[in-house]
Amino acid sequence: MATVTLTQQNFQQVVSANHIVLVDWWAGWCGPCRHFAPVYEASSELHPEIVHGKVDTEAETALTASAQVDRFPTLMAFREGLLVFNQAGFLPAADLEEVVQQVRWLDMDEVRRQMTGLLQAEAQGQPAAPSAPPRTAGPAHGPARYGWPGL
């Protein structure tokens, strides 16, 4: 699947209507953005079930400002409409793949519980207690197996 151009008009609809959405915030003058573009495009081909959106920050200044993006490239990941990853800077292909897998493996019930707790604390005027990030993928259950099968 090719990347999708995101604009002020379609951003919310795309993020809320899809299970997982990755968003690349880029600028034409940005060297790291030009290097990240083929990595991101390859990820979109490798994972057609995930929407890979791109925001041209020079054309979409209002959207960029509302997302508080000021460094390029910036990668955001949304799962079930919630922002679960936000990082500026170039990502090599292996690191982008790791982000994709971590977003897939997130325990969204735990993410929602933590968000609810933060919102409740904020509503009561209390500083939100720092909490551990939601548990993501860890070791698989069962014996560890390394190397070729049978070794």
Side-chain angles (χ1 to χ4, degrees):
M1 174 181 197
T3 58
V4 175
T5 300
L6 298 177
T7 65
Q8 181 80 31
Q9 290 74 29
N10 71 352
F11 186 87
Q12 276 300 77
Q13 191 276 330
V14 170
V15 167
S16 62
N18 293 283
H19 186 65
I20 298 175
V21 179
L22 299 180
V23 182
D24 173 25
W25 302 80
W26 65 278
W29 51 263
C30 168
C33 296
R34 288 192 297 273
H35 291 290
F36 183 59
V39 171
Y40 193 69
E41 187 68 35
S43 177
S44 75
E45 297 295 329
L46 186 61
H47 302 287
E49 72 285 1
I50 295 175
V51 174
H52 286 68
K54 294 181 71 79
V55 176
D56 179 350
T57 59
E58 295 172 298
E60 296 294 331
T61 55
L63 180 59
T64 303
S66 69
Q68 300 177 349
V69 173
D70 59 1
R71 294 182 293 160
F72 311 105
T74 291
L75 178 68
M76 291 182 180
F78 295 85
R79 177 145 170 217
E80 299 174 17
L82 300 174
L83 178 64
V84 295
F85 180 85
N86 183 359
Q87 180 178 314
F90 174 83
L91 285 175
D95 292 351
L96 178 56
E97 181 62 22
E98 180 67 20
V99 169
V100 168
Q101 296 307 322
Q102 291 293 329
V103 169
R104 278 190 170 145
W105 295 332
L106 272 174
D107 179 349
M108 289 307 291
D109 292 333
E110 180 63 24
V111 169
R112 283 189 206 87
R113 275 192 293 278
Q114 288 184 8
M115 290 182 78
T116 300
L118 292 173
L119 291 173
Q120 289 173 346
E122 189 177 284
Q124 295 171 357
Q126 300 171 352
S131 62
R135 184 162 178 358
T136 56
H141 299 312
R145 294 178 191 240
Y146 299 99
W148 294 97
L151 294 180

